[in-house]
Amino acid sequence: MVPFTLVIIFVLLYLAFRRFDEALLIMVTVPFALIGGFWLLWLLGYNMSIATAVGFIALSGVAAEFGVVMLLYLKQALEKKQALGEPMSVATVKETMMEGAVLRVRPIAMTVAVILAGLVPIMWSTGTGAG
């Protein structure tokens, strides 16, 4: 189910951006998120189950969402610099990427905090229905 979900996410990204390279750039972030999820499962001694598979599907979506939002803000910052007529040197592009990324750090951190606040109690629960 997870590979099928990744294909669907890629197709939706391609349809949204109409560029293969941008969709691929966002999809590169998803395996890193999934690897981190598998490491956490291993560290906590949890088994793979239907509940964890659903969690991995959600993790893929959140990782892709963060990638989309970050890419949009970085492109917007770059277009703003180009509209000002500044020459695009390596230093200018680095500065622009830092500006665009800094705008998204707090919202992404808040989103992660809310997700963790909602899911940590589920992760440590015991009894019927617990992972």
Side-chain angles (χ1 to χ4, degrees), residues 5-18 23 27:
T5 304
L6 294 175
V7 169
I8 290 173
I9 291 171
F10 180 78
V11 169
L12 291 173
L13 288 171
Y14 178 76
L15 292 174
F17 289 108
R18 298 283 182 211
M27 288 304 294

Side-chain angles (χ1 to χ4, degrees), residues 46 51 121-131:
Y46 290 162
I122 295 170
M123 185 173 68
W124 283 321
S125 64
T126 59
T128 305

